[in-house]
Amino acid sequence: MASLTAITALGGITAYDETIGGIRIAEIADTCLASLAMRRGRMADFEKAVGKVLGTDLPAPGQRAGTDAHGVIWMGPDQFLVEAETGATDLAGRLAASFGAAASITDQSDAWVRFDITGKDVPAMLERLSAADTRLMQGGAAVRTPVHHMLCVLVCRDAYIGFTIYGPRASAQSLHHALTTAAASL
Amino acid sequence: MIIEHPLLGPRDSQEFTCLGDASLLQRPDASADDAAETFFDYQYLRDNPAGTHRELWYHEMGDRSWLVVTRDTATHEILAVELASDVVTAGGRS
């Protein structure tokens, strides 16, 4: 079998990680993602499976719920993005086996690029890129909104100082350019 | 312009795209005898009111939900925003 080398969304062998001014921008390359959409009329089964498999309640609109192992981000009515931290594999397969016919599930791991942005005033940077009111976001808030004209998911891990951005993987370089330019302009 | 999303609160109108008249939600019965006529009306004929108007808006750069926005075309005031799925369900369809 051919010996293949995995590359990150930005095309590197190792994940990009840079501190510009007071802002650290780190590409997180090993998050497992899956889209979880409830099928019509299956709310009871669906909620039960979320509690059992992911150990959490469903998040309210504009929120992320969950633990360090699994996060569930509200993406739209009856639709969620599940994130599993480092080391997880085949998240979509495991979810499909657990949810049965209560949900439609697709693997999203290679559809997004994830940047974790930390610093002492991250909203000062994000307000240059997005209309989202990042100064009001508390830990656990998650909003799907344009960032530099690309539809991204902004997740607040820690108010003011820690955010995650999921952006379209095909636009990873563009998003990276936007983030580094905004950080450098502070 | 700010649209008050029923689930997400106030969101900038640049996140939305407008499809047009909300009458598109009332698709005629294709098996009715007068289907050709009612589909002609449905497809091509629109009211163009100077005043209150109901429109379908899509939250494309957001949660991808469809909304019915009631808007005054003369003043641009937004009078009501509902989820299109709720409007359809309230009208008796599943």
Side-chain angles (χ1 to χ4, degrees):
Chain A
M1 183 174 167
S3 173
L4 303 175
T5 305
I7 57 171
T8 73
L10 287 176
I13 301 295
T14 55
Y16 167 88
D17 189 342
E18 188 182 10
T19 301
I20 301 171
I23 303 269
R24 179 180 173 197
I25 301 171
E27 180 191 5
I28 310 294
D30 51 8
T31 303
C32 232
L33 296 170
S35 162
L36 178 64
M38 187 185 82
R39 292 195 182 154
R40 187 155 59 171
R42 301 300 293 264
M43 183 51 109
D45 301 353
F46 184 78
E47 280 190 324
K48 206 169 139 195
V50 168
K52 192 169 151 211
V53 180
L54 301 173
T56 179
D57 292 333
L58 284 174
Q63 295 290 316
R64 173 193 185 276
T67 57
D68 284 343
H70 287 117
V72 184
I73 299 167
W74 191 92
M75 295 287 269
D78 301 331
Q79 197 186 340
F80 305 87
L81 183 69
V82 180
E83 44 176 18
E85 296 299 334
T86 311
T89 53
D90 194 25
L91 174 66
R94 284 188 287 125
L95 292 180
S98 309
F99 278 80
S104 296
I105 290 150
T106 53
D107 191 353
Q108 296 282 319
S109 302
D110 290 335
W112 301 85
V113 55
R114 171 177 169 177
F115 292 105
D116 277 12
I117 301 169
T118 46
K120 76 177 195 307
D121 189 7
V122 180
M125 168 197 166
L126 292 178
E127 67 195 4
R128 286 161 163 76
L129 298 170
S130 170
D133 207 342
T134 46
R135 289 189 187 281
L136 290 182
M137 288 172 75
Q138 299 297 314
V143 59
R144 208 172 166 197
T145 191
V147 174
H148 201 71
H149 310 290
M150 287 167 273
L151 180 54
C152 293
V153 185
L154 263 175
V155 184
C156 180
R157 307 272 176 194
D158 207 346
Y160 264 85
I161 56 173
F163 286 77
T164 292
I165 296 184
Y166 287 106
R169 189 184 178 102
S171 304
Q173 296 280 3
S174 302
L175 183 58
H176 173 252
H177 174 76
L179 295 175
T180 51
T181 307
S185 74
L186 292 176
Chain B
M1 193 165 80
I2 302 286
I3 293 177
E4 184 77 28
H5 192 294
L7 299 173
L8 297 167
R11 302 292 287 254
D12 196 287
S13 68
Q14 70 166 357
E15 297 187 1
F16 298 83
T17 53
C18 182
L19 178 74
D21 200 313
S23 66
L24 287 167
L25 288 173
Q26 277 99 45
R27 191 179 176 86
D29 179 2
S31 62
D33 291 340
D34 60 350
E37 202 176 307
T38 51
F39 265 92
F40 178 84
D41 288 356
Y42 172 80
Q43 181 72 34
Y44 296 113
L45 302 183
R46 300 277 187 280
D47 291 334
N48 186 22
T52 305
H53 191 212
R54 296 176 84 230
E55 289 168 332
L56 280 170
W57 286 71
Y58 180 50
H59 197 194
E60 186 180 29
M61 296 295 268
D63 76 344
R64 307 280 174 101
S65 57
W66 282 95
L67 306 178
V68 175
V69 176
T70 307
R71 187 171 72 87
D72 189 317
T73 57
T75 64
H76 297 305
E77 184 188 2
I78 291 177
L79 303 164
V81 184
E82 304 150 277
L83 285 174
S85 55
D86 290 348
V87 172
V88 168
T89 311
R93 266 166 53 200
S94 59

